Amino acid sequence: QVQVVESGGGLVQAGGSLRLSCAASGLSFSSTTMGWFRQAPGKEREFVAAINWSSSAIYYAESVKGRSTISRDNAKNTVYLQMNSLKPEDTAVYYCVAGVRCSGRDCSARGSWGQGTQVTVSS
């Protein structure tokens, strides 16, 4: 049974930083493309970032590119999302997904979702 657990969300002022963590178990983590998605109030869920098994392929949504860094530690079965220069529009529930398929710039979730972690950016 695949389990995905996010942590690290919280309340931060605009311009601040947060690092989200995602621990996954019950799967071959070191061969799985991992990703982050988010859903803001009243909006559809959207892709944020993804990283392949070897960290050789990394993808970002335009809205976070240059401000966020996705990374992974296969020894710890954990993926991270470092977010800097946060903006109020980054406020959302952030979800980790174990199993993401990327083609070109398009990434879609194909695997197991975590329960989400709330990120709130105040202006």
Side-chain angles (χ1 to χ4, degrees):
Q1 181 179 355
V2 178
Q3 287 192 320
V4 179
V5 180
E6 305 96 334
S7 61
L11 174 64
V12 63
Q13 288 188 335
S17 299
L18 279 176
R19 188 175 84 152
L20 307 183
S21 298
C22 168
S25 60
L27 75 165
S28 180
F29 182 87
S30 60
S31 63
T32 300
T33 296
M34 300 293 294
W36 291 93
F37 290 73
R38 68 185 182 185
Q39 187 168 21
K43 295 188 177 181
E44 293 187 354
R45 202 168 287 185
E46 64 176 1
F47 166 74
V48 176
I51 184 168
N52 77 336
W53 67 277
S54 63
S55 304
S56 61
I58 291 176
Y59 311 84
Y60 295 103
E62 287 297 322
S63 58
V64 303
K65 191 176 293 184
R67 301 187 295 119
S68 297
T69 302
I70 188 171
S71 61
R72 65 190 295 159
D73 185 338
N74 287 343
K76 296 182 178 179
N77 280 19
T78 301
V79 63
Y80 306 96
L81 183 67
Q82 175 70 43
M83 300 188 294
N84 302 320
S85 302
L86 283 162
K87 306 174 182 180
E89 49 264 43
D90 293 317
T91 295
V93 177
Y94 283 71
Y95 298 91
C96 179
V97 180
V100 176
R101 181 174 298 174
C102 295
S103 176
R105 289 188 173 183
D106 295 325
C107 293
S108 59
R110 298 302 178 98
S112 300
W113 292 73
Q115 81 288 350
T117 186
Q118 177 71 47
V119 171
T120 302
V121 184
S122 62
S123 57

XYZ file of all heavy atoms in Angstrom, residues 9 50 108:
15
model
N 4.168 22.785 5.567
C 3.364 23.954 5.246
C 3.234 24.884 6.440
O 3.681 24.580 7.546
N 7.994 18.708 -10.805
C 8.198 17.259 -10.835
C 9.676 16.966 -11.018
O 10.427 17.784 -11.568
C 7.379 16.617 -11.949
N 1.309 15.309 -15.618
C 0.035 14.916 -15.042
C 0.267 13.870 -13.961
O 1.208 13.078 -14.031
C -0.897 14.371 -16.118
O -0.304 13.264 -16.760
